[in-house]
Amino acid sequence: MAINTIIKNKTSNVVSSEGSGGDGNSSSPPASPRRQTSGLSQCRRRLRSKVQLQYFRKDSLAAGIFVRRNIQFLLLLFFLYFSGFMMCVGRFSDFLRHSREPIAIYKSHLLLEKLWHDIETDNSTALELSSVWQFKRRMKVQKPCPVLATRRRLGSVEASSGPAGYLIVEANGGLNQQRSAICNAVAVAGILNAVLVIPSFGYNSVWKDPSEFRDIYDEDHFIATLEGYVKVVKELPDELLSKYDHNITNIPHLRVEAWAPAKHYLGKVYPVLQEQGVIRIAPFANRLAMDVPSHIQLLRCITNYRALKFSAPITALAHKLVNRMIERSSMTGGKYVSVHLRFEEDMVAFSCCLYDGGDAEKFEMHSFREKEWKGKFKGKDLDFTAGRNRIDGKCPLTPLEHRLG
């Protein structure tokens, strides 16, 4: 009771002091007066909130447009990537599906033994064998070289004052290119009215064959056949060779453009020949145009079909091989087909085809390509090219592939 009385007294004192305005002995501060809000402030506050809302809406709209555009751009990128991926997968799946069969089917000797019975059966009937030798197109008639009444004055330069000098050429390339170069050398000697020195053969890094002209062809027959058309000697006269310290590399060396016409030799080469007395042209493969005057073409014809006769050892070996083929072709009446495989290092490297050599083969062929053709094959997908070339039938065939074919 006493406590309730005390609390009530204190409460009444506080209320009375607030109501009287309070004196200096009061410990409680006066209450803050209530702020009166004007209509103008309320309008400003509402306007500010509307402006902020408008800016927020604009930012939200811009952000939405940006997000939508990014999504569209991402979808476009994804579509392009997916399309390209599907194209690549389709292309390479086709490559993988078809490229393995041609590579693998001809490699196993066990497979050859398995298929050999079928191969013999296919070729065992007289009907099959006779059909092989039936020509389906009309063969061209081979015309012999024309025979002129006189052999003299076949060249393009007047020969009244004697030969203009000596011509030395280097026949590079394989046997076919060398033979063509020899025919062209005789023709060029006729154009220049020059004495032709027996052509030398360039040493090839692929075959590594040091053979000279006399090892492959009959030199004496070559010289005798061309007598009266073009003068041919086995070597330069000693007095002329001594002028160049008996070193053939000191002789003036000319580089002639490929497939050069006869007028090029008359205008550019003949003056040098007259001045120096001897010239050397190397390399000489494909250095004369196909279209030449008829009397120059005659020199080519005589050289190829009459003057170039294989040497005695090669002729004997050729007869031996032919007789062997005839004996082993008794089922076809002695008829046979001779095939040049062309399975050589440079041919395989240039074709970009792959065989069974693995990484070692790839490295060796890549090194050979860089050495011979200096960057011609850079930037190419050689593995893909190899598969496509094999499918398209552009790869040199191995001996086993020829046998199966």
Side-chain angles (χ1 to χ4, degrees):
M1 293 296 291
I3 294 174
N4 292 334
T5 305
I6 293 172
I7 292 174
K8 287 180 179 180
N9 290 334
K10 286 183 177 182
T11 304
S12 63
N13 290 334
V14 172
V15 171
S16 64
S17 64
E18 288 177 355
S20 62
D23 53 8
N25 298 326
S26 175
S27 60
S28 301
S32 299
R34 188 176 182 180
R35 181 176 296 176
Q36 300 293 328
T37 304
S38 63
L40 181 60
S41 298
Q42 292 179 357
C43 290
R44 289 177 178 175
R45 193 173 298 162
R46 292 173 182 173
L47 181 61
R48 190 180 299 114
S49 64
K50 289 182 179 180
V51 172
Q52 290 177 353
L53 181 60
Q54 290 178 357
Y55 277 113
F56 176 77
R57 289 178 177 173
K58 288 182 178 179
D59 292 340
S60 300
L61 180 61
I65 294 173
F66 179 77
V67 170
R68 289 177 183 174
R69 287 184 177 178
N70 280 345
I71 292 175
Q72 292 176 353
F73 181 72
L74 292 175
L75 288 175
L76 178 61
L77 283 180
F78 176 78
F79 176 76
L80 293 176
Y81 174 80
F82 182 77
S83 301
F85 177 76
M86 292 303 295
M87 290 176 64
C88 291
V89 168
R91 186 178 184 184
F92 277 98
S93 64
D94 178 72
F95 161 67
L96 293 174
R97 184 169 60 251
H98 295 287
S99 64
R100 291 186 179 274
E101 295 181 359
I103 293 177
I105 195 171
Y106 297 119
K107 296 304 173 184
S108 173
H109 291 275
L110 297 177
L111 180 62
L112 175 62
E113 295 177 3
K114 181 180 178 181
L115 297 178
W116 186 247
H117 175 72
D118 295 331
I119 296 173
E120 286 187 318
T121 302
D122 290 341
N123 294 328
S124 61
T125 64
L127 179 62
E128 291 291 337
L129 292 175
S130 62
S131 63
V132 173
W133 307 105
Q134 291 179 356
F135 298 108
K136 295 183 179 181
R137 62 184 180 89
R138 188 174 181 181
M139 300 297 293
K140 285 187 176 181
V141 179
Q142 300 295 324
K143 297 181 180 180
C145 300
V147 178
L148 298 184
T150 177
R151 295 185 175 190
R152 301 295 178 182
R153 291 190 178 182
L154 287 177
S156 299
V157 177
E158 201 58 44
S160 57
S161 58
Y166 290 84
L167 173 64
I168 300 174
V169 300
E170 181 180 296
N172 57 305
L175 285 174
N176 291 334
Q177 289 178 305
Q178 288 175 351
R179 191 179 185 95
S180 175
I182 295 170
C183 297
N184 286 337
V186 174
V188 169
I191 294 173
L192 301 176
N193 188 31
V195 177
L196 176 65
V197 180
I198 288 287
S200 61
F201 293 155
Y203 183 79
N204 191 284
S205 59
V206 177
W207 305 290
K208 299 178 176 59
D209 183 9
S211 299
E212 298 180 4
F213 188 96
R214 62 177 176 270
D215 298 320
I216 300 177
Y217 300 107
D218 186 334
E219 275 188 342
D220 294 332
H221 177 80
F222 182 77
I223 295 173
T225 303
L226 292 175
E227 180 65 31
Y229 295 104
V230 170
K231 185 177 181 180
V232 182
V233 296
K234 294 184 179 181
E235 56 186 17
L236 282 176
D238 187 68
E239 61 272 13
L240 184 59
L241 193 58
S242 62
K243 180 181 176 181
Y244 297 98
D245 297 328
H246 292 85
N247 188 350
I248 197 171
T249 60
N250 293 332
I251 295 175
H253 177 213
L254 300 181
R255 285 191 173 273
V256 179
E257 63 185 20
W259 309 109
K263 64 180 180 181
H264 175 84
Y265 285 95
L266 293 174
K268 298 293 182 65
V269 179
Y270 182 71
V272 180
L273 178 64
Q274 274 192 316
E275 180 181 354
Q276 300 293 333
V278 58
I279 57 172
R280 182 168 62 96
I281 302 178
F284 197 70
N286 304 324
R287 288 304 184 268
L288 181 62
M290 297 299 295
D291 187 14
V292 294
S294 59
H295 61 281
I296 299 301
Q297 184 65 23
L298 172 64
L299 295 177
R300 276 175 167 167
C301 184
I302 293 173
T303 303
N304 190 40
Y305 295 103
R306 297 181 187 174
L308 286 177
K309 176 184 176 183
F310 285 114
S311 61
I314 292 181
T315 302
L317 179 60
H319 285 308
K320 183 177 181 179
L321 291 175
V322 169
N323 291 334
R324 181 183 299 173
M325 293 297 294
I326 293 175
E327 291 173 2
R328 298 188 179 184
S329 303
S330 57
M331 293 178 62
T332 59
K335 297 178 180 178
Y336 64 91
V337 175
S338 176
V339 180
H340 181 10
L341 298 181
R342 297 305 302 271
F343 195 74
E344 301 154 349
E345 186 178 17
D346 59 335
M347 294 294 294
V348 173
F350 192 83
S351 70
C352 299
C353 293
L354 297 178
Y355 294 88
D356 290 340
D359 292 337
E361 175 196 331
K362 290 183 180 180
F363 177 78
E364 185 177 352
M365 292 296 98
H366 174 73
S367 301
F368 189 88
R369 280 189 287 266
E370 288 300 309
K371 177 183 176 182
E372 296 295 326
W373 298 291
K374 302 187 186 302
K376 177 181 177 66
F377 297 93
K378 282 185 177 180
K380 292 185 177 181
D381 187 353
L382 295 183
D383 288 344
F384 179 76
T385 303
R388 296 305 306 180
N389 285 349
R390 186 166 290 280
I391 292 172
D392 295 339
K394 296 180 179 179
C395 292
L397 299 181
T398 65
L400 182 57
E401 289 172 325
H402 273 287
R403 193 174 181 184
L404 282 173

